[in-house]
């Protein structure tokens, strides 16, 4: 076919047209057939870089997993538990205070009752002295007044009243009041030889010491 113009331009156009018509072959093989090394796509990472990034991500994930970040529900439950624990402690403290208060009230009530009994017994000691004097003079040998005196003494014993009137026992300054001292024969310690006025105790409490005559070693 005839053509016009420069021969060189005509040949260049024909070469470009033939190149467009030639098929394009792309090699997608992952292993280079010449070097035997693995191929990586453009912008990809080498296996060492990928492994390095994977290790870093794994370490970061492990660190994050070890950090406990409470959720809203956990925070709410923790707050409720703290409030419940505080209320329980307050209740236990109030209970302990109540127990101590009740023990103190019972102790004070017992002491008050004991003091009331002691007050009554002290007020009756002069009456008992009159009963003893009447008995020593023979006025209460028998008859209704003797029976009344015996009932009174027995009733007072139920409240823990005991008489201190023993003779021949060692002198004890906690329960005896020595009015007279006399030398005694064949004695080694101070001994009660005679009781001038009886003493009384209520339990372990001495209401009145006995007035006595004491025999002392010669």
């Amino acid at each position: 076919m005839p053509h016009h113009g420069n021969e060189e331009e005509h040949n260049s156009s024909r070469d470009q047209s033939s190149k467009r018509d030639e098929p394009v072959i792309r090699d997608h093989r992952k292993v280079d057939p010449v070097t035997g090394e693995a191929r990586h796509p453009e912008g990809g990472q080498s296996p060492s870089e990928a492994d390095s990034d994977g290790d870093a991500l794994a370490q970061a994930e492990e660190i994050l997993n070890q950090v406990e970040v409470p959720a809203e529900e956990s925070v709410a439950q923790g707050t409720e538990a703290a409030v419940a624990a505080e209320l329980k402690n307050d209740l236990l403290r109030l209970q302990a205070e109540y127990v101590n208060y009740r023990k103190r009230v019972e102790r004070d009530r017992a002491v008050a009752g004991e003091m009331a009994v002691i007050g009554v017994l002290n007020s009756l000691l002069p009456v008992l002295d009159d009963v003893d004097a009447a008995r020593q003079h023979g006025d209460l040998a028998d008859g209704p007044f003797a029976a009344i005196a015996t009932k009174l003494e027995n009733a007072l014993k139920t409240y823990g009243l005991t008489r201190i009137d023993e003779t021949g026992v060692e002198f004890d300054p906690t329960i005896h009041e020595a009015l007279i001292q006399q030398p005694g024969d064949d004695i080694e310690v101070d001994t009660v030889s005679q009781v001038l006025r009886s003493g009384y105790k209520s339990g372990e409490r001495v209401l009145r010491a006995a007035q006595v005559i004491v025999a002392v070693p010669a």
Side-chain angles (χ1 to χ4, degrees):
M1 179 177 179
H3 58 276
H4 303 281
N6 192 342
E7 183 67 22
E8 185 177 353
E9 294 178 357
H10 176 70
N11 291 335
S12 176
S13 298
R14 185 176 60 185
D15 293 339
Q16 292 177 359
S17 177
S18 61
K19 287 181 180 181
R20 285 196 300 267
D21 295 338
E22 291 179 357
V24 178
I25 300 174
R26 292 184 174 87
D27 189 355
H28 295 286
R29 289 176 293 182
K30 297 181 179 181
V31 179
D32 193 327
V34 178
T35 62
E37 296 180 356
R39 292 176 174 176
H40 306 286
E42 294 182 0
Q45 294 178 333
S46 64
S48 60
E49 293 175 350
D51 293 342
S52 177
D53 292 344
D55 292 342
L57 291 175
Q59 293 177 1
E61 184 178 0
E62 182 179 359
I63 293 174
L64 290 176
N65 290 335
Q66 293 176 356
V67 177
E68 296 181 357
V69 180
E72 294 181 359
E73 183 177 358
S74 300
V75 173
Q77 292 178 354
T79 303
E80 293 177 358
V83 173
E86 184 176 358
L87 291 176
K88 182 179 180 181
N89 292 333
D90 293 341
L91 180 61
L92 292 176
R93 184 172 61 255
L94 290 175
Q95 184 178 7
E97 291 178 356
Y98 172 73
V99 170
N100 293 333
Y101 168 76
R102 186 176 62 183
K103 290 181 179 179
R104 185 169 61 253
V105 169
E106 292 177 354
R107 184 173 60 251
D108 294 343
R109 184 183 297 115
V111 172
E114 182 181 356
M115 295 304 297
V117 171
I118 290 175
V120 173
L121 295 178
N122 282 325
S123 65
L124 291 176
L125 293 184
V127 178
L128 295 177
D129 291 339
D130 293 340
V131 170
D132 287 341
R135 186 176 287 118
Q136 290 175 3
H137 288 83
D139 297 336
L140 292 178
D142 53 10
F145 290 104
I148 293 173
T150 301
K151 288 181 180 180
L152 176 61
E153 292 172 341
N154 291 334
L156 295 179
K157 287 180 181 179
T158 61
Y159 290 94
L161 183 67
T162 56
R163 188 189 298 267
I164 305 174
D165 58 354
E166 292 182 284
T167 59
V169 297
E170 183 178 354
F171 174 80
D172 185 353
T174 61
I175 61 174
H176 297 138
E177 179 184 358
L179 298 183
I180 301 174
Q181 290 185 349
Q182 295 176 344
D185 298 332
D186 301 330
I187 60 172
E188 298 179 357
V189 294
D190 295 349
T191 304
V192 176
S193 61
Q194 185 179 353
V195 176
L196 302 178
R197 189 183 69 173
S198 298
Y200 292 93
K201 293 194 306 181
S202 176
E204 298 299 325
R205 182 189 293 269
V206 177
L207 302 181
R208 189 180 70 184
Q211 295 179 348
V212 297
I213 297 176
V214 180
V216 297

